[in-house]
Short mmCIF file of all heavy atoms in Angstrom, two decimals:
data_model
loop_
_atom_site.label_atom_id
_atom_site.label_comp_id
_atom_site.label_asym_id
_atom_site.label_seq_id
_atom_site.Cartn_x
_atom_site.Cartn_y
_atom_site.Cartn_z
N MET A 18 206.13 -140.40 -47.94
CA MET A 18 207.38 -140.63 -48.53
C MET A 18 208.41 -139.53 -48.19
O MET A 18 209.45 -139.70 -47.98
CB MET A 18 207.14 -140.77 -50.10
CG MET A 18 208.37 -141.17 -50.75
SD MET A 18 208.81 -142.81 -50.31
CE MET A 18 209.72 -143.33 -51.75
N ASP A 19 207.93 -138.32 -48.19
CA ASP A 19 208.81 -137.19 -47.77
C ASP A 19 209.28 -137.25 -46.39
O ASP A 19 210.41 -136.89 -46.14
CB ASP A 19 208.03 -135.86 -48.19
CG ASP A 19 207.81 -135.58 -49.57
OD1 ASP A 19 208.62 -136.06 -50.38
OD2 ASP A 19 206.96 -134.91 -49.90
N LEU A 20 208.46 -137.62 -45.56
CA LEU A 20 208.86 -137.78 -44.10
C LEU A 20 210.02 -138.82 -43.94
O LEU A 20 210.93 -138.69 -43.21
CB LEU A 20 207.77 -138.04 -43.18
CG LEU A 20 208.06 -138.09 -41.69
CD1 LEU A 20 208.56 -136.85 -41.19
CD2 LEU A 20 206.77 -138.49 -40.92
N GLN A 21 209.78 -139.93 -44.66
CA GLN A 21 210.77 -140.96 -44.62
C GLN A 21 212.17 -140.50 -45.12
O GLN A 21 213.17 -140.84 -44.42
CB GLN A 21 210.31 -142.15 -45.47
CG GLN A 21 209.10 -142.89 -44.83
CD GLN A 21 208.51 -143.91 -45.84
OE1 GLN A 21 208.88 -143.95 -46.98
NE2 GLN A 21 207.66 -144.78 -45.25
N ARG A 22 212.17 -139.80 -46.19
CA ARG A 22 213.45 -139.27 -46.77
C ARG A 22 213.97 -138.26 -45.85
O ARG A 22 215.25 -138.24 -45.67
CB ARG A 22 213.21 -138.64 -48.17
CG ARG A 22 212.92 -139.61 -49.22
CD ARG A 22 212.81 -138.95 -50.55
NE ARG A 22 212.44 -139.99 -51.52
CZ ARG A 22 212.39 -139.76 -52.79
NH1 ARG A 22 212.48 -138.51 -53.19
NH2 ARG A 22 212.14 -140.60 -53.65
N PHE A 23 213.29 -137.46 -45.24
CA PHE A 23 213.69 -136.46 -44.28
C PHE A 23 214.43 -137.12 -42.96
O PHE A 23 215.45 -136.74 -42.56
CB PHE A 23 212.55 -135.52 -43.77
CG PHE A 23 212.96 -134.60 -42.71
CD1 PHE A 23 213.86 -133.53 -42.93
CD2 PHE A 23 212.61 -134.79 -41.36
CE1 PHE A 23 214.22 -132.69 -41.88
CE2 PHE A 23 212.93 -134.01 -40.41
CZ PHE A 23 213.73 -132.91 -40.57
N LEU A 24 213.79 -138.17 -42.56
CA LEU A 24 214.33 -138.83 -41.38
C LEU A 24 215.60 -139.54 -41.66
O LEU A 24 216.47 -139.60 -40.94
CB LEU A 24 213.27 -139.88 -40.74
CG LEU A 24 212.04 -139.15 -40.06
CD1 LEU A 24 211.10 -140.17 -39.69
CD2 LEU A 24 212.48 -138.34 -38.90
N ILE A 25 215.66 -140.23 -42.85
CA ILE A 25 216.84 -140.86 -43.29
C ILE A 25 217.95 -139.81 -43.51
O ILE A 25 219.12 -139.94 -43.11
CB ILE A 25 216.60 -141.70 -44.54
CG1 ILE A 25 215.70 -142.87 -44.31
CG2 ILE A 25 217.96 -142.12 -45.24
CD1 ILE A 25 215.29 -143.60 -45.46
N GLY A 26 217.56 -138.72 -44.07
CA GLY A 26 218.66 -137.66 -44.26
C GLY A 26 219.12 -137.09 -42.92
O GLY A 26 220.32 -136.86 -42.76
N LEU A 27 218.21 -136.85 -41.99
CA LEU A 27 218.64 -136.30 -40.70
C LEU A 27 219.52 -137.47 -40.01
O LEU A 27 220.51 -137.05 -39.34
CB LEU A 27 217.30 -136.13 -39.79
CG LEU A 27 217.61 -135.58 -38.54
CD1 LEU A 27 218.29 -134.12 -38.60
CD2 LEU A 27 216.22 -135.43 -37.81
N GLY A 28 219.21 -138.72 -40.05
CA GLY A 28 219.97 -139.69 -39.47
C GLY A 28 221.35 -139.78 -40.18
O GLY A 28 222.37 -139.89 -39.32
N LEU A 29 221.56 -139.49 -41.39
CA LEU A 29 222.89 -139.45 -42.06
C LEU A 29 223.66 -138.25 -41.57
O LEU A 29 224.89 -138.36 -41.31
CB LEU A 29 222.73 -139.45 -43.57
CG LEU A 29 222.19 -140.81 -44.11
CD1 LEU A 29 221.93 -140.67 -45.61
CD2 LEU A 29 223.24 -141.87 -43.82
N VAL A 30 222.92 -137.16 -41.46
CA VAL A 30 223.61 -135.85 -41.02
C VAL A 30 224.09 -136.15 -39.51
O VAL A 30 225.28 -135.67 -39.28
CB VAL A 30 222.70 -134.65 -41.07
CG1 VAL A 30 223.28 -133.50 -40.27
CG2 VAL A 30 222.39 -134.31 -42.48
N ILE A 31 223.29 -136.72 -38.63
CA ILE A 31 223.76 -136.89 -37.30
C ILE A 31 224.94 -137.98 -37.24
O ILE A 31 225.91 -137.73 -36.49
CB ILE A 31 222.56 -137.46 -36.45
CG1 ILE A 31 221.59 -136.27 -36.26
CG2 ILE A 31 223.06 -137.97 -35.09
CD1 ILE A 31 220.36 -136.73 -35.62
N LEU A 32 224.87 -138.93 -38.13
CA LEU A 32 226.05 -139.92 -38.21
C LEU A 32 227.25 -139.30 -38.60
O LEU A 32 228.32 -139.47 -38.08
CB LEU A 32 225.62 -141.01 -39.20
CG LEU A 32 226.66 -142.12 -39.41
CD1 LEU A 32 226.96 -142.87 -38.16
CD2 LEU A 32 226.36 -142.93 -40.55
N VAL A 33 227.28 -138.42 -39.65
CA VAL A 33 228.39 -137.73 -40.20
C VAL A 33 228.97 -136.84 -39.09
O VAL A 33 230.17 -136.59 -38.88
CB VAL A 33 228.07 -137.00 -41.50
CG1 VAL A 33 229.21 -136.07 -41.90
CG2 VAL A 33 227.84 -138.07 -42.62
N ALA A 34 228.08 -136.11 -38.50
CA ALA A 34 228.46 -135.22 -37.37
C ALA A 34 229.21 -135.89 -36.27
O ALA A 34 230.20 -135.39 -35.61
CB ALA A 34 227.28 -134.28 -36.87
N GLY A 35 228.64 -137.11 -35.97
CA GLY A 35 229.29 -137.78 -34.87
C GLY A 35 230.65 -138.31 -35.24
O GLY A 35 231.55 -138.46 -34.38
N LEU A 36 230.75 -138.79 -36.45
CA LEU A 36 232.04 -139.21 -37.04
C LEU A 36 233.15 -138.08 -37.12
O LEU A 36 234.35 -138.32 -36.85
CB LEU A 36 232.01 -139.99 -38.32
CG LEU A 36 231.15 -141.17 -38.26
CD1 LEU A 36 230.95 -141.73 -39.72
CD2 LEU A 36 231.88 -142.19 -37.46
N LEU A 37 232.67 -136.81 -37.38
CA LEU A 37 233.54 -135.67 -37.58
C LEU A 37 233.83 -134.98 -36.34
O LEU A 37 234.67 -134.06 -36.34
CB LEU A 37 233.10 -134.82 -38.67
CG LEU A 37 232.97 -135.19 -40.08
CD1 LEU A 37 232.41 -134.20 -41.04
CD2 LEU A 37 234.41 -135.68 -40.57
N TRP A 38 233.09 -135.30 -35.23
CA TRP A 38 233.16 -134.43 -34.07
C TRP A 38 234.61 -134.45 -33.49
O TRP A 38 235.16 -133.32 -33.08
CB TRP A 38 232.22 -135.00 -33.03
CG TRP A 38 232.16 -134.00 -31.85
CD1 TRP A 38 232.69 -134.16 -30.56
CD2 TRP A 38 231.58 -132.66 -31.93
NE1 TRP A 38 232.42 -133.05 -29.91
CE2 TRP A 38 231.76 -132.06 -30.55
CE3 TRP A 38 230.93 -131.98 -32.82
CZ2 TRP A 38 231.29 -130.82 -30.40
CZ3 TRP A 38 230.55 -130.70 -32.54
CH2 TRP A 38 230.71 -130.12 -31.30
N PRO A 39 235.38 -135.55 -33.46
CA PRO A 39 236.77 -135.47 -32.85
C PRO A 39 237.55 -134.58 -33.72
O PRO A 39 238.40 -133.81 -33.15
CB PRO A 39 237.22 -136.89 -32.94
CG PRO A 39 236.06 -137.84 -33.03
CD PRO A 39 234.94 -137.00 -33.70
N ILE A 40 237.46 -134.53 -35.04
CA ILE A 40 238.21 -133.59 -35.92
C ILE A 40 237.81 -132.22 -35.54
O ILE A 40 238.61 -131.26 -35.59
CB ILE A 40 238.07 -134.01 -37.34
CG1 ILE A 40 238.56 -135.45 -37.64
CG2 ILE A 40 238.71 -132.87 -38.31
CD1 ILE A 40 238.19 -135.93 -39.00
N LEU A 41 236.49 -131.90 -35.52
CA LEU A 41 235.89 -130.61 -35.27
C LEU A 41 236.35 -130.02 -34.01
O LEU A 41 236.54 -128.82 -33.82
CB LEU A 41 234.50 -130.51 -35.43
CG LEU A 41 233.93 -130.88 -36.90
CD1 LEU A 41 232.41 -130.97 -36.95
CD2 LEU A 41 234.37 -129.97 -37.92
N SER A 42 236.42 -130.87 -32.94
CA SER A 42 236.87 -130.40 -31.61
C SER A 42 238.31 -130.04 -31.59
O SER A 42 238.74 -129.13 -30.77
CB SER A 42 236.51 -131.43 -30.57
OG SER A 42 237.31 -132.56 -30.74
N ARG A 43 239.15 -130.66 -32.43
CA ARG A 43 240.57 -130.22 -32.46
C ARG A 43 240.83 -128.92 -32.99
O ARG A 43 241.75 -128.19 -32.67
CB ARG A 43 241.39 -131.25 -33.29
CG ARG A 43 241.58 -132.50 -32.67
CD ARG A 43 242.47 -133.42 -33.48
NE ARG A 43 242.33 -134.75 -33.14
CZ ARG A 43 242.33 -135.77 -34.11
NH1 ARG A 43 242.63 -135.47 -35.32
NH2 ARG A 43 242.06 -136.98 -33.58
N ILE A 44 239.95 -128.42 -33.88
CA ILE A 44 240.06 -127.06 -34.55
C ILE A 44 239.38 -125.96 -33.68
O ILE A 44 239.35 -124.90 -34.03
CB ILE A 44 239.54 -127.06 -35.94
CG1 ILE A 44 238.13 -127.36 -36.09
CG2 ILE A 44 240.48 -127.87 -36.85
CD1 ILE A 44 237.54 -127.14 -37.53
N GLY A 45 238.72 -126.34 -32.60
CA GLY A 45 238.17 -125.40 -31.66
C GLY A 45 236.67 -125.33 -31.64
O GLY A 45 236.07 -124.73 -30.94
N LEU A 46 236.01 -126.04 -32.60
CA LEU A 46 234.63 -126.08 -32.62
C LEU A 46 233.97 -126.78 -31.38
O LEU A 46 234.30 -127.92 -31.20
CB LEU A 46 234.02 -126.72 -33.94
CG LEU A 46 232.54 -126.46 -34.24
CD1 LEU A 46 232.36 -124.96 -34.53
CD2 LEU A 46 232.19 -127.24 -35.45
N GLY A 47 233.24 -126.09 -30.68
CA GLY A 47 232.82 -126.78 -29.37
C GLY A 47 233.19 -125.92 -28.21
O GLY A 47 232.72 -126.13 -27.08
N ARG A 48 234.20 -125.19 -28.34
CA ARG A 48 234.63 -124.29 -27.24
C ARG A 48 234.97 -122.91 -27.72
O ARG A 48 235.98 -122.29 -27.57
CB ARG A 48 235.99 -124.90 -26.66
CG ARG A 48 235.85 -126.23 -25.98
CD ARG A 48 235.21 -126.08 -24.67
NE ARG A 48 235.08 -127.31 -24.04
CZ ARG A 48 234.56 -127.46 -22.83
NH1 ARG A 48 234.01 -126.45 -22.25
NH2 ARG A 48 234.47 -128.67 -22.26
N LEU A 49 233.96 -122.30 -28.44
CA LEU A 49 234.16 -121.07 -28.99
C LEU A 49 233.85 -119.95 -27.96
O LEU A 49 233.13 -120.22 -26.91
CB LEU A 49 233.29 -120.82 -30.15
CG LEU A 49 233.50 -121.69 -31.41
CD1 LEU A 49 232.48 -121.47 -32.47
CD2 LEU A 49 234.90 -121.39 -31.90
N PRO A 50 234.46 -118.73 -28.04
CA PRO A 50 234.10 -117.65 -27.18
C PRO A 50 232.58 -117.31 -27.31
O PRO A 50 232.11 -117.24 -28.45
CB PRO A 50 234.88 -116.46 -27.70
CG PRO A 50 235.97 -117.03 -28.43
CD PRO A 50 235.42 -118.37 -28.94
N GLY A 51 231.88 -117.26 -26.26
CA GLY A 51 230.41 -117.13 -26.28
C GLY A 51 229.67 -118.34 -25.84
O GLY A 51 228.43 -118.28 -25.63
N ASP A 52 230.33 -119.46 -25.88
CA ASP A 52 229.71 -120.65 -25.30
C ASP A 52 229.62 -120.59 -23.81
O ASP A 52 230.56 -120.07 -23.23
CB ASP A 52 230.49 -121.96 -25.69
CG ASP A 52 230.48 -122.25 -27.20
OD1 ASP A 52 229.59 -121.77 -27.84
OD2 ASP A 52 231.29 -123.06 -27.58
N ILE A 53 228.50 -121.05 -23.16
CA ILE A 53 228.27 -120.86 -21.77
C ILE A 53 228.72 -122.01 -21.03
O ILE A 53 228.47 -123.13 -21.32
CB ILE A 53 226.68 -120.68 -21.53
CG1 ILE A 53 226.24 -119.35 -22.32
CG2 ILE A 53 226.43 -120.44 -20.14
CD1 ILE A 53 224.79 -119.26 -22.38
N LEU A 54 229.53 -121.80 -19.94
CA LEU A 54 230.04 -122.87 -19.16
C LEU A 54 230.01 -122.36 -17.72
O LEU A 54 230.52 -121.34 -17.29
CB LEU A 54 231.52 -123.15 -19.50
CG LEU A 54 232.26 -124.17 -18.60
CD1 LEU A 54 231.60 -125.52 -18.83
CD2 LEU A 54 233.72 -124.16 -19.02
N PHE A 55 229.24 -123.13 -16.86
CA PHE A 55 229.24 -122.85 -15.45
C PHE A 55 229.68 -124.05 -14.73
O PHE A 55 229.36 -125.26 -14.96
CB PHE A 55 227.72 -122.67 -14.96
CG PHE A 55 227.11 -121.37 -15.49
CD1 PHE A 55 226.12 -121.39 -16.36
CD2 PHE A 55 227.57 -120.16 -15.03
CE1 PHE A 55 225.45 -120.25 -16.85
CE2 PHE A 55 226.95 -119.02 -15.47
CZ PHE A 55 225.91 -119.05 -16.35
N GLN A 56 230.60 -123.87 -13.78
CA GLN A 56 231.20 -124.89 -12.99
C GLN A 56 231.13 -124.44 -11.50
O GLN A 56 231.58 -123.46 -11.09
CB GLN A 56 232.59 -125.23 -13.28
CG GLN A 56 232.82 -125.78 -14.58
CD GLN A 56 234.35 -126.02 -14.95
OE1 GLN A 56 235.19 -125.40 -14.46
NE2 GLN A 56 234.55 -126.99 -15.82
N ARG A 57 230.36 -125.33 -10.76
CA ARG A 57 230.22 -125.04 -9.29
C ARG A 57 230.23 -126.42 -8.55
O ARG A 57 229.51 -127.28 -8.80
CB ARG A 57 228.86 -124.45 -8.93
CG ARG A 57 228.80 -122.98 -9.62
CD ARG A 57 227.84 -122.20 -8.85
NE ARG A 57 227.92 -120.73 -9.57
CZ ARG A 57 227.22 -119.76 -9.16
NH1 ARG A 57 226.52 -119.89 -8.14
NH2 ARG A 57 227.32 -118.70 -9.87
N GLY A 58 231.27 -126.45 -7.75
CA GLY A 58 231.31 -127.82 -7.03
C GLY A 58 231.66 -128.85 -7.99
O GLY A 58 232.54 -128.84 -8.74
N GLY A 59 230.78 -129.88 -7.82
CA GLY A 59 231.00 -131.11 -8.72
C GLY A 59 230.08 -131.04 -9.97
O GLY A 59 230.06 -131.94 -10.75
N ALA A 60 229.31 -129.92 -10.10
CA ALA A 60 228.33 -129.82 -11.23
C ALA A 60 228.91 -128.92 -12.36
O ALA A 60 229.57 -127.91 -12.07
CB ALA A 60 227.03 -129.38 -10.65
N THR A 61 228.65 -129.35 -13.54
CA THR A 61 229.10 -128.55 -14.74
C THR A 61 227.84 -128.40 -15.63
O THR A 61 227.27 -129.32 -16.01
CB THR A 61 230.33 -129.22 -15.44
OG1 THR A 61 231.35 -129.28 -14.52
CG2 THR A 61 230.67 -128.38 -16.63
N PHE A 62 227.64 -127.19 -16.18
CA PHE A 62 226.74 -126.99 -17.22
C PHE A 62 227.32 -126.23 -18.36
O PHE A 62 228.01 -125.35 -18.10
CB PHE A 62 225.59 -125.96 -16.52
CG PHE A 62 224.56 -125.66 -17.67
CD1 PHE A 62 223.59 -126.55 -18.05
CD2 PHE A 62 224.62 -124.43 -18.30
CE1 PHE A 62 222.65 -126.08 -19.07
CE2 PHE A 62 223.64 -124.07 -19.20
CZ PHE A 62 222.70 -124.96 -19.61
N TYR A 63 227.20 -126.89 -19.50
CA TYR A 63 227.76 -126.38 -20.72
C TYR A 63 226.69 -126.31 -21.79
O TYR A 63 225.99 -127.17 -22.14
CB TYR A 63 228.81 -127.31 -21.23
CG TYR A 63 229.53 -126.96 -22.45
CD1 TYR A 63 230.27 -125.72 -22.53
CD2 TYR A 63 229.36 -127.61 -23.55
CE1 TYR A 63 230.97 -125.35 -23.66
CE2 TYR A 63 229.93 -127.20 -24.77
CZ TYR A 63 230.70 -126.10 -24.81
OH TYR A 63 231.20 -125.63 -26.07
N PHE A 64 226.59 -125.02 -22.41
CA PHE A 64 225.63 -124.82 -23.45
C PHE A 64 226.45 -124.20 -24.58
O PHE A 64 226.90 -122.99 -24.49
CB PHE A 64 224.52 -124.02 -23.06
CG PHE A 64 223.54 -123.73 -24.16
CD1 PHE A 64 222.61 -124.81 -24.54
CD2 PHE A 64 223.42 -122.54 -24.80
CE1 PHE A 64 221.82 -124.70 -25.56
CE2 PHE A 64 222.51 -122.39 -25.79
CZ PHE A 64 221.57 -123.46 -26.17
N PRO A 65 226.63 -124.95 -25.71
CA PRO A 65 227.46 -124.32 -26.79
C PRO A 65 226.68 -123.34 -27.67
O PRO A 65 226.32 -123.67 -28.90
CB PRO A 65 227.85 -125.58 -27.61
CG PRO A 65 226.81 -126.55 -27.35
CD PRO A 65 226.34 -126.20 -25.97
N LEU A 66 226.38 -122.11 -27.18
CA LEU A 66 225.50 -121.17 -27.91
C LEU A 66 226.09 -120.78 -29.17
O LEU A 66 225.51 -120.86 -30.31
CB LEU A 66 225.33 -120.00 -26.97
CG LEU A 66 224.35 -118.90 -27.56
CD1 LEU A 66 222.95 -119.40 -27.70
CD2 LEU A 66 224.35 -117.74 -26.62
N VAL A 67 227.36 -120.26 -29.22
CA VAL A 67 227.94 -119.84 -30.44
C VAL A 67 228.30 -120.86 -31.38
O VAL A 67 228.10 -120.78 -32.63
CB VAL A 67 229.26 -118.93 -30.07
CG1 VAL A 67 229.95 -118.48 -31.31
CG2 VAL A 67 228.96 -117.76 -29.17
N THR A 68 228.63 -122.01 -30.89
CA THR A 68 228.95 -123.16 -31.76
C THR A 68 227.63 -123.60 -32.48
O THR A 68 227.63 -123.89 -33.59
CB THR A 68 229.40 -124.39 -31.02
OG1 THR A 68 230.57 -124.03 -30.32
CG2 THR A 68 229.70 -125.66 -31.67
N SER A 69 226.45 -123.51 -31.70
CA SER A 69 225.18 -123.82 -32.31
C SER A 69 224.84 -122.87 -33.50
O SER A 69 224.33 -123.23 -34.49
CB SER A 69 224.00 -123.88 -31.34
OG SER A 69 224.30 -124.87 -30.36
N ILE A 70 225.08 -121.64 -33.29
CA ILE A 70 224.85 -120.53 -34.27
C ILE A 70 225.78 -120.71 -35.47
O ILE A 70 225.19 -120.62 -36.62
CB ILE A 70 224.95 -119.23 -33.59
CG1 ILE A 70 223.90 -118.88 -32.59
CG2 ILE A 70 224.94 -118.11 -34.73
CD1 ILE A 70 224.21 -117.64 -31.78
N VAL A 71 227.00 -121.05 -35.31
CA VAL A 71 227.96 -121.17 -36.42
C VAL A 71 227.54 -122.47 -37.27
O VAL A 71 227.45 -122.39 -38.46
CB VAL A 71 229.32 -121.37 -35.89
CG1 VAL A 71 230.25 -121.94 -37.04
CG2 VAL A 71 229.88 -120.05 -35.36
N ILE A 72 227.18 -123.53 -36.54
CA ILE A 72 226.68 -124.78 -37.33
C ILE A 72 225.39 -124.45 -38.11
O ILE A 72 225.25 -124.94 -39.20
CB ILE A 72 226.48 -125.96 -36.30
CG1 ILE A 72 227.93 -126.37 -35.88
CG2 ILE A 72 225.84 -127.04 -36.94
CD1 ILE A 72 227.86 -127.40 -34.73
N SER A 73 224.47 -123.77 -37.45
CA SER A 73 223.21 -123.32 -38.05
C SER A 73 223.43 -122.55 -39.34
O SER A 73 222.85 -122.80 -40.35
CB SER A 73 222.34 -122.66 -37.07
OG SER A 73 221.12 -122.19 -37.70
N ILE A 74 224.35 -121.51 -39.22
CA ILE A 74 224.66 -120.64 -40.50
C ILE A 74 225.19 -121.52 -41.56
O ILE A 74 224.94 -121.52 -42.72
CB ILE A 74 225.65 -119.51 -39.99
CG1 ILE A 74 224.75 -118.59 -39.14
CG2 ILE A 74 226.05 -118.85 -41.30
CD1 ILE A 74 225.66 -117.50 -38.52
N VAL A 75 226.16 -122.44 -41.22
CA VAL A 75 226.89 -123.29 -42.25
C VAL A 75 225.90 -124.23 -42.90
O VAL A 75 225.79 -124.39 -44.20
CB VAL A 75 227.98 -124.04 -41.56
CG1 VAL A 75 228.65 -125.05 -42.61
CG2 VAL A 75 229.17 -123.08 -41.16
N LEU A 76 224.98 -124.90 -42.07
CA LEU A 76 223.96 -125.73 -42.58
C LEU A 76 222.95 -124.93 -43.57
O LEU A 76 222.53 -125.49 -44.50
CB LEU A 76 223.29 -126.57 -41.51
CG LEU A 76 224.18 -127.74 -40.94
CD1 LEU A 76 223.42 -128.29 -39.70
CD2 LEU A 76 224.64 -128.58 -41.89
N THR A 77 222.55 -123.77 -43.01
CA THR A 77 221.62 -122.94 -43.80
C THR A 77 222.20 -122.69 -45.20
O THR A 77 221.59 -122.87 -46.15
CB THR A 77 221.22 -121.76 -43.09
OG1 THR A 77 220.75 -122.16 -41.85
CG2 THR A 77 220.37 -120.93 -43.85
N VAL A 78 223.48 -122.23 -45.25
CA VAL A 78 224.14 -121.92 -46.49
C VAL A 78 224.21 -123.20 -47.35
O VAL A 78 223.88 -123.11 -48.56
CB VAL A 78 225.52 -121.28 -46.21
CG1 VAL A 78 226.22 -121.13 -47.60
CG2 VAL A 78 225.34 -119.87 -45.60
N LEU A 79 224.69 -124.24 -46.78
CA LEU A 79 224.80 -125.45 -47.65
C LEU A 79 223.50 -125.95 -48.28
O LEU A 79 223.42 -126.26 -49.38
CB LEU A 79 225.44 -126.59 -46.75
CG LEU A 79 226.90 -126.49 -46.42
CD1 LEU A 79 227.35 -127.54 -45.44
CD2 LEU A 79 227.76 -126.49 -47.75
N LEU A 80 222.36 -125.99 -47.34
CA LEU A 80 221.19 -126.28 -47.89
C LEU A 80 220.47 -125.42 -48.89
O LEU A 80 219.90 -125.74 -49.84
CB LEU A 80 220.10 -126.46 -46.69
CG LEU A 80 220.39 -127.60 -45.84
CD1 LEU A 80 219.48 -127.65 -44.49
CD2 LEU A 80 220.20 -129.03 -46.43
N TRP A 81 220.83 -124.13 -48.73
CA TRP A 81 220.42 -123.10 -49.72
C TRP A 81 221.11 -123.34 -51.10
O TRP A 81 220.53 -123.37 -52.08
CB TRP A 81 220.67 -121.65 -49.14
CG TRP A 81 220.28 -120.65 -50.16
CD1 TRP A 81 218.97 -120.19 -50.45
CD2 TRP A 81 221.18 -119.80 -51.00
NE1 TRP A 81 218.95 -119.11 -51.26
CE2 TRP A 81 220.33 -119.01 -51.72
CE3 TRP A 81 222.52 -119.84 -51.17
CZ2 TRP A 81 220.83 -118.15 -52.68
CZ3 TRP A 81 223.04 -118.98 -52.13
CH2 TRP A 81 222.23 -118.10 -52.86
N LEU A 82 222.40 -123.64 -51.03
CA LEU A 82 223.19 -123.88 -52.21
C LEU A 82 222.75 -125.17 -52.97
O LEU A 82 222.57 -125.27 -54.18
CB LEU A 82 224.58 -123.97 -51.92
CG LEU A 82 225.30 -122.64 -51.60
CD1 LEU A 82 226.77 -123.00 -51.07
CD2 LEU A 82 225.20 -121.72 -52.80
N PHE A 83 222.38 -126.20 -52.24
CA PHE A 83 221.93 -127.48 -52.71
C PHE A 83 220.44 -127.40 -53.37
O PHE A 83 220.15 -128.11 -54.32
CB PHE A 83 221.96 -128.65 -51.76
CG PHE A 83 223.40 -129.16 -51.53
CD1 PHE A 83 223.90 -129.23 -50.18
CD2 PHE A 83 224.17 -129.45 -52.52
CE1 PHE A 83 225.18 -129.67 -50.03
CE2 PHE A 83 225.56 -129.95 -52.45
CZ PHE A 83 226.03 -129.94 -51.11
N ASN A 84 219.77 -126.44 -52.79
CA ASN A 84 218.29 -126.42 -53.27
C ASN A 84 218.20 -125.42 -54.43
O ASN A 84 217.05 -125.16 -54.93
CB ASN A 84 217.35 -126.04 -52.08
CG ASN A 84 217.09 -127.23 -51.18
OD1 ASN A 84 217.14 -128.34 -51.62
ND2 ASN A 84 216.92 -126.99 -49.98
N ARG A 85 219.11 -124.70 -54.84
CA ARG A 85 219.04 -123.81 -55.89
C ARG A 85 218.97 -124.45 -57.29
O ARG A 85 219.33 -125.43 -57.74
CB ARG A 85 220.40 -122.96 -55.89
CG ARG A 85 220.19 -121.75 -55.03
CD ARG A 85 221.38 -120.79 -55.24
NE ARG A 85 221.10 -119.94 -56.27
CZ ARG A 85 221.91 -119.03 -56.73
NH1 ARG A 85 223.23 -119.08 -56.21
NH2 ARG A 85 221.64 -118.30 -57.75
#
């Protein structure tokens, strides 16, 4: 039962993140200083390192507050 709730919650979080992504990209989330971007020829590699850290910190604080 716990795994089912976790998967449903994870799916909802991904859905909300997908819906909010256009708004978040307008305020600069996704292109922060420290994100890795390599462009050579026709190939591009992008790894949002700092963006991932910021999202992780925000989610950790939110989950910590909700579980108190």
